[in-house]
Amino acid sequence: MFTPAEAAELLARLELEQDGETLQTFFATRQGFQDAFGGFYIDHEAGGKLVLQLVHNHPRVKDIPALLPPLRHGDRLLISHVAWPTTRLKQEFDRISAVMNEYPGIEAVEINDVTNQVVVTINPVVTGTPMGTTVEKGILPRSFATLLVDPMVIVRSGKVTLKQEAIKAGQIWSNVKGGGGCTLGFEVIDNGNPSMLTAGHCVKNLNPYTTVYQGNTVIGYYSGQGQY
């Protein structure tokens, strides 16, 4: 059970995701601003802050804060500066994802919204490095090093874990391995099955029975009963 204060805080954090979508739409529909948008994420450890990332070398970066649309929780908005726009990150993510099956050993490709990087996880057998460590590209086989040469890409040694397990309210989920962007709410029972409530806009484009991940771990499947 949540106290009234805890329930209000959970609602505020779910609404922060909608504020993030508002910002994303703002940049996507403003000519010349797309390359200024580095993404957004919710910093739960900081008490629930919406962090807007702006590309530091964009010519209008100093003007943008005064042009932003109204937000439900504008008092929780923080601005940070990053190197890469989301458009470039997505292009690199798509490029690597399209050919990853040709590179046995690549376990996962993800966009890390917090670090503003594309992260490629490679099996330790290929890298010869301990699990969980960052890999210097110079020690990779030449074909891997060529594929991952862009400086926005970092390489980590690890394996993808695929198992269902319980998670807690407030944690992040996605419909892609290693993804994020949406927060799980509180636990509910749906037709007798343990389930988690989340923001409706997060599921509006999902098909029923879509696999749901926390990081690289399968935590369940979308029921297909979302409303938004």
Side-chain angles (χ1 to χ4, degrees):
M1 296 291 292
F2 290 98
T3 66
E6 290 172 335
E9 179 60 26
L10 177 58
L11 177 60
R13 297 196 186 198
L14 292 174
E15 289 176 340
L16 282 177
E17 293 168 2
Q18 294 177 308
D19 280 346
E21 297 289 345
T22 297
L23 293 174
Q24 192 168 31
T25 299
F26 169 81
F27 284 97
T29 56
R30 296 303 189 279
Q31 186 67 32
F33 277 15
Q34 289 86 349
D35 288 342
F37 182 57
F40 73 89
Y41 65 93
I42 299 172
D43 190 340
H44 291 287
E45 293 184 359
K49 302 293 185 181
L50 176 63
V51 182
L52 168 64
Q53 297 171 315
L54 298 178
V55 178
H56 64 82
N57 61 357
H58 191 275
R60 299 195 63 185
V61 69
K62 293 182 180 179
D63 303 326
I64 289 173
L67 302 174
L68 296 176
L71 303 174
R72 295 187 184 196
H73 299 280
D75 58 317
R76 295 192 180 205
L77 179 66
L78 298 177
I79 294 177
S80 67
H81 295 94
V82 294
W84 313 107
T86 55
T87 51
R88 284 277 288 111
L89 292 170
K90 184 65 164 55
Q91 288 171 357
E92 191 65 11
F93 171 87
D94 290 343
R95 184 184 71 84
I96 297 171
S97 297
V99 298
M100 64 180 291
N101 290 337
E102 301 173 19
Y103 293 80
I106 292 183
E107 298 276 326
V109 183
E110 64 177 288
I111 295 175
N112 189 311
D113 295 325
V114 177
T115 64
N116 188 239
Q117 294 170 309
V118 176
V119 181
V120 178
T121 301
I122 298 182
N123 194 294
V125 172
V126 176
T127 65
T129 57
M131 288 273 291
T133 58
T134 300
V135 180
E136 295 293 334
K137 296 178 184 178
I139 70 170
L140 293 172
R142 180 174 296 180
S143 60
F144 283 82
T146 301
L147 175 69
L148 309 176
V149 68
D150 197 294
M152 75 173 63
V153 178
I154 65 168
V155 181
R156 290 193 178 136
S157 180
K159 294 182 179 180
V160 173
T161 302
L162 298 178
K163 64 178 181 179
Q164 296 190 23
E165 59 182 43
I167 63 170
K168 298 178 180 179
Q171 294 180 326
I172 303 300
W173 70 273
S174 177
N175 65 315
V176 296
K177 296 176 187 177
C182 282
T183 306
L184 285 164
F186 50 85
E187 184 176 356
V188 297
I189 301 299
D190 178 29
N191 293 324
N193 298 314
S195 305
M196 294 292 285
L197 186 69
T198 190
H201 68 278
C202 291
V203 300
K204 64 183 179 181
N205 295 319
L206 296 187
N207 294 319
Y209 308 111
T210 296
T211 304
V212 175
Y213 301 86
Q214 183 196 21
N216 292 322
T217 301
V218 175
I219 59 173
Y221 304 90
Y222 170 49
S223 68
Q225 299 184 37
Q227 298 181 358
Y228 54 92

